[in-house]
Amino acid sequence: MADLNYEIKNHIAYITLNRPDNLNAFSEEMIGLWIDALEDVRDNDEVYAALLTGAGRAFCAGGDVKAMAAGKGFYESSHDITSTALARKNSLWKLIQRVPLILEEIDKPVVAKINGAAIGAGLDMALMCDIRIAGESAKMAESYLNVGIVPGDGGAYFLPKIIGKDKALDMFLTRKTVKGNEAADMGLVTYAVPDAELDTFTDEYMKKIAEGPQMAMRFTKRTVQQGDTISLRGSLDMISSFMGIVTELDDFKERTTALAEKMKKK
């Protein structure tokens, strides 16, 4: 049984972390399959959006603490990579840190369904997604300091941008756990829904995204993502170029015609 499952249905890519007995903690196999899946999401024109979730009762417990204690590094691996600090650094760079870098290249919407515990780097993986939908009982924490390490998987970059520097530091320093509704109130997740409704809510959300005008959605995401790194003038120049492109596409012509016809009937 693979440590990660990947399938495409109705133009939606489903990425499921699949180590339920280990709360979906990272393994070397999982990370490799994760990278492959994200590259396909990025490059496959048949994929309109992606959904990331975990099998069983957890989203992702992050780094494998048992593997770290056994000297295998930050995830379960058949290789001893702990001989030097440089080797440990390179293990992050060559594997798990590839995930946020590939996600940055994906213009399609990526949604995280947080179906249970999302801890440490597991939470960080959700933070890298565009939208986070959590069950009300889902537990989220930045737990790095519990084992004396730093947030090496992108949390120190993403979390302050999402909830602010002070709240991010509070989560890192106190290692506190927040649940679905509190996480939604603080902006950590986009939606918190009753556990029994999580699958249905998320399915409907993904369906709505998949039915949207694909290029317009991708251009919108690209503009939002780059808003932190370019000037207002640069953003306006970019979006005006995108406007010129999308107004020549069939999506624009068909949708404006349909809307005009609908307005005539009112």
Side-chain angles (χ1 to χ4, degrees):
M1 184 174 63
D3 286 359
L4 181 144
N5 294 330
Y6 178 67
E7 61 178 337
I8 301 169
K9 293 188 297 186
N10 299 320
H11 299 292
I12 299 171
Y14 295 88
I15 302 172
T16 305
L17 311 181
N18 193 37
R19 299 184 72 211
D21 293 341
N22 301 84
L23 301 180
N24 299 316
F26 299 148
S27 70
E28 188 172 2
E29 177 187 322
M30 176 190 286
I31 298 167
L33 293 171
W34 203 335
I35 291 169
D36 292 342
L38 290 174
E39 288 178 340
D40 188 68
V41 170
R42 180 192 63 195
D43 300 333
N44 188 341
D45 289 338
E46 293 303 308
V47 173
Y48 294 172
L51 179 68
L52 171 66
T53 193
R57 60 191 178 92
F59 176 75
C60 180
D64 193 319
V65 176
K66 292 180 180 178
M68 285 187 260
K72 292 183 178 179
F74 304 105
Y75 46 80
E76 184 181 277
S77 170
S78 59
H79 308 292
D80 183 354
I81 57 170
T82 62
S83 57
T84 67
L86 181 59
R88 288 191 293 274
K89 171 182 170 60
N90 286 339
S91 76
L92 286 170
W93 174 247
K94 293 177 180 179
L95 290 163
I96 196 63
Q97 289 183 347
R98 309 310 298 172
V99 172
L101 292 172
I102 297 171
L103 278 166
E104 190 177 41
E105 298 172 351
I106 296 175
D107 287 340
K108 304 161 188 177
V110 180
V111 178
K113 180 171 71 173
I114 306 175
N115 54 304
I119 307 299
L123 175 57
D124 295 344
M125 295 301 110
L127 299 180
M128 297 169 194
C129 297
D130 303 309
I131 302 293
R132 287 163 294 285
I133 304 172
E136 287 181 343
S137 70
K139 297 179 180 179
M140 289 154 271
E142 293 286 12
S143 58
Y144 294 94
L145 296 182
N146 284 338
V147 291
I149 60 174
V150 296
D153 303 290
Y157 178 84
F158 291 102
L159 189 60
K161 292 180 180 297
I162 294 171
I163 64 173
K165 291 181 181 179
D166 58 335
K167 292 184 177 65
L169 279 171
D170 179 54
M171 287 193 68
F172 284 124
L173 298 179
T174 66
R175 290 93 77 194
K176 69 179 183 180
T177 298
V178 297
K179 289 188 176 182
N181 287 327
E182 182 182 358
D185 289 342
M186 64 192 297
L188 185 63
V189 300
T190 318
Y191 297 100
V193 300
D195 294 345
E197 300 174 16
L198 179 61
D199 289 344
T200 301
F201 182 94
T202 307
D203 288 345
E204 289 299 316
Y205 193 90
M206 298 305 297
K207 181 181 178 182
K208 187 172 185 178
I209 290 176
E211 292 174 347
Q214 293 305 306
M215 286 310 304
M217 292 172 68
R218 295 175 198 181
F219 284 152
T220 300
K221 175 178 172 178
R222 191 182 302 180
T223 305
V224 170
Q225 282 185 321
Q226 295 189 23
D228 290 336
T229 61
I230 62 176
S231 66
L232 171 61
R233 185 177 296 275
S235 180
L236 293 174
D237 182 52
M238 179 171 62
I239 202 69
S240 62
S241 298
F242 292 160
M243 184 68 82
I245 295 170
V246 297
T247 50
E248 292 187 347
L249 301 178
D250 289 341
D251 254 331
F252 168 77
K253 298 170 185 176
E254 292 169 2
R255 288 169 184 269
T256 51
T257 299
L259 183 58
E261 291 298 321
K262 184 177 180 180
M263 292 176 68
K264 284 181 182 179
K265 295 176 181 179
K266 289 186 176 180

